[in-house]
Amino acid sequence: MKNYKTLLLITLMSGFCLTAQNKDTKKADKQFAQYEFVKAAESYSKLVDNGKADAYVYGQLAESYYNIFNTEAAERWYAKALETSDNPEMVYKYSQMLKANGKYDESNKQMDKFATLRPSDDRATAYRKNPDYLPKILEQGKKFNVQNADFNSEQSDFGGTMSEGKLYITSGRNDSRKTYGWNDQPFLDIYTITKNTDGTYQEATLANNKINTRYHEGLVSFSPDGKTMYFSRESYYEKDFQKDSLSSTKFSQLYLFKATKLGDDWDTIEALAVNSENYSVKNPSVSTDGKTLYFSSNMPEGFGGFDIYKAPINDDGTLGEAENLGQKVNTEGQEMFPYISSNNTLYFSSNGHLGLGGLDVFYTKVIDGKIAPVRNVGIPINSNADDFAFSIDEENDEGFVSSNRTGGKGSDDIYAFKKLQPLCDVLISATVLDDKTREPISGAAVSLFDAEGNKVVSKTTNEEGLAEFIVECEEDSELEVVMDGFDSKKVQVKGSNDEENNVQISLDPIEKLIVDESINLAPIFFEFDESNITAQAAFELDKLVQIMNKYPEMVIEATSHTDNRGTDTYNNGLSDRRAKTTVQYVISKGIDEARITGEGKGETEPKVDCSGGCTKAQHAENRRSEFIIVSPTAE
């Protein structure tokens, strides 16, 4: 799950059944309202021990543990609360806790229940469309090497943004700060860590007191020239907050600020106009061209809790109107921590899209003005814990991700990673059918070629006529299908960003290549002034070999032709060489030489009359070989 320890990470969702508050829960409710979840859990637990618990207390206990990432305790109390409740959001969170604890089958049962209770919810719709999503994520393969960073502390550490040789992180390691009731850790500050030439890091240094205050500071991002830093901070700094009349608790928002580089340090802190006392804005990320700021906000009219937004950065440094990225990115859950990379891939964390548990890292891209499918980055970047604050240098394939997974040094740790394989891939599902019967063809050889014509891999279709291939996103490819008794075929597959590309290939029975007294092959073209057999010519000639093997009495005459560039004598000689090369190829495949002859026709029988001039393509049409059945014609 992803339930963050500070308001910089998430705005707390209230309890499920506030009307159940009473004098017995007053103390625990006040602690809960003040985000003192450790103390609140203790107080609610005492009510359970004293026999004063009900569905409300169980739900609040679950929520308290949910917010401090005690997944086992949260699972236990959600289960107890749901014995007498069908609250959809509670069911959803229960499924997340089960998933975080590795109980995938039980998690799916709760997702089924959630989808029944809220069928129109985007999270339910996505689950119904792809209920077997977990194995697909887990089977993607490890495309990253992930290591816990040496500079983590025993407190919360997250983020990881490089600028001018320094790494900027957010950390609760400053013991001189007051502790925060959410997790009893110090308030968060921004630190810098200098990276050495050997790739190691020096000790973390606290940023100056114009950046850090006694309030929380969060993630940072930089303008392309490195002279402007954007970061999050609690609105207390601006003296903006709301006060609960009953508990006297002060509620802040999260604001975005920018600082200007002055010498080697930061100065001139300014609040951005997008801030509002009515909602939070956080997690800034500046595009590589410096023209757009991406951020997360729970401003009104969004789709869920926090959504991802973008706003233009004007020439004078001000922000234009914020734009919600829409329902392909945002869900009824939480979408946070956007990071826009140098190749304009948008990475973000979400607990609303299908994942491994809580917040997972996802990515998408805008192609031709449209948002490509949102994809899960997969393991080991993602785990069944909270995975967030992903950033990457696309040139050297290195970056950072934060997580509260088990085995770390603190509650949140920063993990350094190296990308090992291309992240975005497409599953090509090729189904081969008999064009006459429409039945699947098993045992067909399907070969994948890359855009340069290199054979990548060959597979054989299964009983369903299916062969599957993984290719990189946006890369063109070609499929070649060969099957005894059928006309071989090549199919171009246009590169795309879709998760799956279903290709149906229909093969004609080999007899359809026999027309009247000739073999209807695609033209056997030759390069200019050349007579050698090309790969394309070999593909077509193999069909001729197949036919001649099926009809062992068949005798073929091959005629070769040239274009009209060159003298008659030269063209006659060239076409004769091409005819002989064609014949020799067929013989090399095991056909008796008595069954095939060849004759060069020069330029005497053009397919296109080029006496008045021709294009290159028309000249190519005249450079060809054709095949006539001498005897006997197949029945």
Side-chain angles (χ1 to χ4, degrees):
M1 86 181 201
K2 308 289 160 109
N3 307 294
Y4 288 108
K5 285 70 177 176
T6 76
L7 285 178
L8 290 169
L9 301 174
I10 193 168
T11 294
L12 177 68
M13 305 301 291
S14 62
F16 295 112
C17 189
L18 296 178
T19 57
Q21 292 178 348
N22 55 55
K23 61 182 180 63
D24 292 326
T25 66
K26 185 176 180 180
K27 177 183 177 181
D29 291 337
K30 182 176 181 180
Q31 292 167 333
F32 188 93
Q34 292 175 332
Y35 309 111
E36 297 174 349
F37 299 116
V38 175
K39 294 178 180 178
E42 293 174 355
S43 297
Y44 287 124
S45 293
K46 288 180 181 179
L47 293 177
V48 175
D49 294 340
N50 294 331
K52 296 181 179 181
D54 55 14
Y56 171 77
V57 172
Y58 299 141
Q60 291 296 92
L61 254 177
E63 281 288 280
S64 297
Y65 286 121
Y66 180 90
N67 284 294
I68 58 175
F69 200 66
N70 187 331
T71 59
E72 292 181 358
E75 175 196 326
R76 174 189 173 193
W77 293 113
Y78 278 133
K80 188 67 176 175
L82 287 167
E83 289 177 0
T84 55
S85 171
D86 278 335
N87 183 286
E89 202 62 33
M90 186 187 294
V91 173
Y92 182 77
K93 288 186 176 181
Y94 181 37
S95 76
Q96 296 296 294
M97 293 300 91
L98 288 165
K99 189 160 39 174
N101 294 328
K103 300 177 181 179
Y104 296 133
D105 290 340
E106 294 177 51
S107 173
N108 282 351
K109 289 178 183 177
Q110 294 302 316
M111 279 302 296
D112 283 329
K113 183 177 180 180
F114 173 73
T116 300
L117 292 169
R118 278 192 182 167
S120 60
D121 190 296
D122 283 345
R123 294 168 292 180
T125 303
Y127 173 74
R128 288 293 196 213
K129 286 182 178 178
N130 191 11
D132 298 323
Y133 68 94
L134 278 170
K136 293 181 180 179
I137 296 174
L138 294 171
E139 291 170 6
Q140 282 181 351
K142 295 184 177 180
K143 298 182 178 180
F144 297 85
N145 179 280
V146 176
Q147 301 290 332
N148 190 289
D150 292 337
F151 50 74
N152 285 307
S153 70
E154 293 181 358
Q155 306 299 332
S156 180
D157 303 289
F158 60 94
T161 305
M162 292 295 303
S163 179
E164 299 181 346
K166 289 186 176 182
L167 177 68
Y168 289 72
I169 69 169
T170 299
S171 177
R173 67 182 68 191
N174 189 353
D175 293 334
S176 66
R177 297 283 189 224
K178 291 174 60 178
T179 58
Y180 186 49
W182 188 305
N183 60 356
D184 286 338
Q185 290 191 19
F187 276 65
L188 296 166
D189 285 318
I190 295 171
Y191 284 78
T192 61
I193 307 176
T194 300
K195 187 174 184 180
N196 299 316
T197 55
D198 63 357
T200 60
Y201 291 88
Q202 299 179 15
E203 290 294 320
T205 303
L206 195 64
N208 71 38
N209 59 13
K210 290 190 176 181
I211 298 297
N212 289 315
T213 66
R214 61 193 182 98
Y215 307 111
H216 286 301
E217 277 76 37
L219 299 181
V220 305
S221 185
F222 297 90
S223 60
D225 61 7
K227 295 180 179 179
T228 302
M229 178 171 72
Y230 297 84
F231 64 98
S232 304
R233 176 186 287 163
E234 284 185 288
S235 63
Y236 289 128
Y237 181 78
E238 297 284 281
K239 297 181 172 58
D240 287 347
F241 57 85
Q242 296 178 3
K243 187 174 182 179
D244 185 273
S245 59
L246 296 177
S247 67
S248 297
T249 301
K250 294 178 180 179
F251 295 93
S252 71
Q253 300 291 356
L254 302 172
Y255 282 0
L256 289 180
F257 295 81
K258 69 176 182 177
T260 303
K261 197 73 172 289
L262 183 63
D264 293 330
D265 214 338
W266 297 100
D267 205 337
T268 317
I269 313 301
E270 301 176 59
L272 301 187
V274 71
N275 298 333
S276 170
E277 63 180 10
N278 297 316
Y279 53 81
S280 289
V281 286
K282 61 180 183 178
N283 310 147
S285 180
V286 183
S287 62
T288 305
D289 62 8
K291 295 181 179 180
T292 307
L293 180 68
Y294 291 79
F295 59 90
S296 182
S297 176
N298 62 344
M299 64 178 64
E301 299 182 2
F303 296 99
F306 277 88
D307 283 1
I308 307 296
Y309 289 79
K310 67 177 181 178
I313 301 175
N314 301 320
D315 292 340
D316 61 0
T318 59
L319 288 186
E321 186 176 354
E323 175 187 348
N324 189 297
L325 293 194
Q327 278 184 289
K328 277 194 173 181
V329 170
N330 297 310
T331 70
E332 284 90 341
Q334 306 282 354
E335 278 70 48
M336 300 180 287
F337 302 100
Y339 177 79
I340 188 73
S341 74
S342 59
N343 65 10
N344 289 318
T345 299
L346 176 66
Y347 301 89
F348 64 96
S349 289
S350 170
N351 64 5
H353 292 281
L354 298 176
L356 298 176
L359 287 175
D360 273 16
V361 178
F362 296 84
Y363 68 99
T364 186
K365 199 171 186 179
V366 176
I367 300 175
D368 297 330
K370 296 181 180 180
I371 294 177
V374 170
R375 301 167 186 257
N376 191 298
V377 170
I379 58 173
I381 293 294
N382 289 323
S383 66
N384 58 359
D386 295 333
D387 308 296
F388 56 98
F390 180 98
S391 63
I392 186 171
D393 182 334
E394 299 281 13
E395 292 188 7
N396 62 24
D397 289 334
E398 294 179 350
F400 300 94
V401 67
S402 303
S403 179
N404 58 4
R405 66 189 63 181
T406 58
K409 298 177 183 177
S411 55
D412 293 317
D413 274 7
I414 298 168
Y415 291 79
F417 66 76
K418 175 73 175 180
K419 188 168 73 171
L420 306 176
Q421 301 175 32
L423 179 58
C424 184
D425 50 40
V426 179
L427 173 65
I428 296 178
S429 295
T431 302
V432 181
L433 302 175
D434 183 324
D435 189 60
K436 184 176 181 180
T437 65
R438 308 308 298 169
E439 292 295 321
I441 300 174
S442 64
V446 185
S447 299
L448 174 73
F449 292 79
D450 63 20
E452 284 71 44
N454 302 306
K455 182 185 287 190
V456 178
V457 65
S458 293
K459 294 186 177 182
T460 302
T461 56
N462 61 19
E463 292 180 357
E464 298 175 346
L466 180 66
E468 294 182 324
F469 304 89
I470 296 290
V471 299
E472 194 172 344
C473 286
E474 301 178 45
E475 292 290 329
D476 294 341
S477 55
E478 182 180 60
L479 294 177
E480 178 186 284
V481 186
V482 177
M483 180 63 184
D484 286 342
F486 291 87
D487 179 12
S488 303
K489 186 172 288 187
K490 287 186 176 182
V491 176
Q492 302 295 321
V493 181
K494 185 70 176 174
S496 77
N497 214 64
D498 295 333
E499 291 189 71
E500 187 169 349
N501 190 352
N502 295 306
V503 180
Q504 192 175 92
I505 305 168
S506 298
L507 300 185
D508 290 323
I510 201 74
E511 291 85 354
K512 291 191 70 173
L513 293 176
I514 302 172
V515 180
D516 297 327
E517 295 185 358
S518 65
I519 306 296
N520 186 23
L521 300 180
I524 308 300
F525 293 129
F526 294 87
E527 297 297 330
F528 174 70
D529 199 30
E530 296 293 341
S531 59
N532 60 291
I533 299 297
T534 64
Q536 183 274 337
F539 179 74
E540 293 299 324
L541 288 175
D542 284 340
K543 299 179 185 180
L544 174 63
V545 172
Q546 221 181 344
I547 294 172
M548 295 184 75
N549 281 331
K550 185 169 184 177
Y551 301 103
E553 303 301 319
M554 181 179 287
V555 177
I556 296 294
E557 179 186 10
T559 60
S560 292
H561 308 263
T562 68
D563 58 36
N564 67 348
R565 293 176 291 180
T567 65
D568 289 345
T569 301
Y570 175 82
N571 284 338
N572 286 333
L574 177 62
S575 66
D576 189 57
R577 293 195 299 273
R578 287 175 175 172
K580 289 179 179 178
T581 302
T582 299
V583 169
Q584 288 301 304
Y585 179 88
V586 174
I587 293 172
S588 73
K589 295 299 180 178
I591 300 299
D592 191 307
E593 62 180 338
R595 295 178 58 201
I596 183 167
T597 58
E599 181 183 3
K601 297 286 189 178
E603 60 182 86
T604 59
E605 298 179 6
K607 197 164 189 178
V608 180
D609 183 3
C610 292
S611 57
C614 267
T615 64
K616 286 185 178 181
Q618 289 171 323
H619 280 304
E621 285 190 62
N622 286 335
R623 300 192 301 271
R624 68 197 191 280
S625 288
E626 295 172 336
F627 308 94
I628 307 300
I629 300 173
V630 177
S631 66
T633 302
E635 295 180 0

